[in-house]
Amino acid sequence: MNLGHATVVLRSRRIAEVADLSLRFTRSLAPFTIVKLWLVTLLPAWVFCVLLHHFAELEWFWLWPLALMLGWFLELPFLALAGRLLLDREATLSDVATDCRRFGWRFLGARLLLTVYSTLSLIAVFGPIFVFSTYCFAAEALVLERATARGALKRAKTFLRGRSGTGLETCIVQLGILLGFMTLGEILGQSLVHEVFDVGGTGEQL
């Protein structure tokens, strides 16, 4: 069996099952590799945003869209690692880098297409919500099923056909997690700037 050409087929699960399996997956399959990937992707991105605020005096209001955009694209290496770990528990960051190079342009294309769809949907009040709930599994389809950019969007739409509630639930859960980490990132960012960079300063609020 050629593991390099193997694929994973997506199937529907309830939110509770997804949360349970995600925690088990993270804990049992190479947790240190996941932490190392976090250290070389998300941590530098967070530090970059904090430094932009301190040295370029960029307000947090403008930093958060940048941070969200970075997070949107930094999803790729984690998906690549998840796909590798499903087939090989000895997967390394080098394997992840290889997959990122392989799927990078397709991933970018899918994200750009989704951005275009969301922008065009602004003509309707709830358009973006419909778009994101319809195509919320596009990234997974692209990486895990080796789909093209357009193929991933089509596969995500087909996957949720007749199960629109699943897509909406997924978006709500993702939004909740996002808001939680945004709050945590804001607290840590403010603390780092105030305690580390402003030591001996006037103590003014950011």
Side-chain angles (χ1 to χ4, degrees):
M1 177 180 178
N2 188 342
L3 295 180
H5 292 83
T7 60
V8 178
V9 178
L10 302 176
R11 73 183 184 89
S12 179
R13 289 185 181 271
R14 291 176 299 178
I15 293 297
E17 289 181 296
V18 172
D20 179 61
L21 289 173
S22 297
L23 292 174
R24 292 187 182 187
F25 181 87
T26 303
R27 186 178 66 251
S28 62
L29 292 179
F32 293 110
T33 304
I34 296 174
V35 171
K36 286 191 292 185
L37 182 59
W38 177 84
L39 289 174
V40 300
T41 55
L42 297 181
L43 182 59
W46 178 76
V47 172
F48 172 70
C49 290
V50 172
L51 293 177
L52 272 182
H53 171 75
H54 182 73
F55 292 107
E57 299 183 352
L58 196 62
E59 294 296 329
W60 294 112
F61 177 82
W62 299 108
L63 275 176
W64 275 116
L66 173 62
L68 292 175
M69 185 179 299
L70 287 173
W72 212 30
F73 289 103
L74 288 176
E75 183 182 353
L76 175 59
F78 288 91
L79 284 175
L81 178 60
R84 285 278 185 171
L85 290 176
L86 287 173
L87 302 170
D88 180 13
R89 293 195 176 195
E90 303 301 322
T92 65
L93 295 188
S94 178
D95 297 325
V96 173
T98 299
D99 285 345
C100 287
R101 288 193 296 269
R102 181 186 305 172
F103 301 118
W105 288 110
R106 278 186 274 173
F107 188 83
L108 177 61
R111 289 306 197 198
L112 290 177
L113 283 174
L114 188 55
T115 301
V116 171
Y117 292 168
S118 301
T119 303
L120 293 176
S121 71
L122 288 173
I123 192 173
V125 177
F126 299 104
I129 297 176
F130 173 78
V131 169
F132 280 104
S133 63
T134 301
Y135 299 108
C136 60
F137 293 115
E140 286 79 0
L142 188 147
V143 176
L144 301 180
E145 296 190 352
R146 308 296 199 258
T148 61
R150 293 184 62 183
L153 294 176
K154 182 178 180 181
R155 170 63 175 136
K157 184 177 181 179
T158 303
F159 179 68
L160 290 175
R161 182 172 296 161
R163 295 194 293 265
S164 58
T166 300
L168 185 58
E169 286 178 1
T170 301
C171 287
I172 292 174
V173 170
Q174 289 178 336
L175 180 60
I177 293 173
L178 178 64
L179 291 176
F181 277 99
M182 283 178 67
T183 303
L184 179 61
E186 179 76 10
I187 293 172
L188 292 176
Q190 294 277 8
S191 300
L192 181 63
V193 171
H194 181 70
E195 299 295 337
V196 177
F197 294 116
D198 290 341
V199 170
T202 60
E204 296 179 355
Q205 295 295 319
L206 296 175

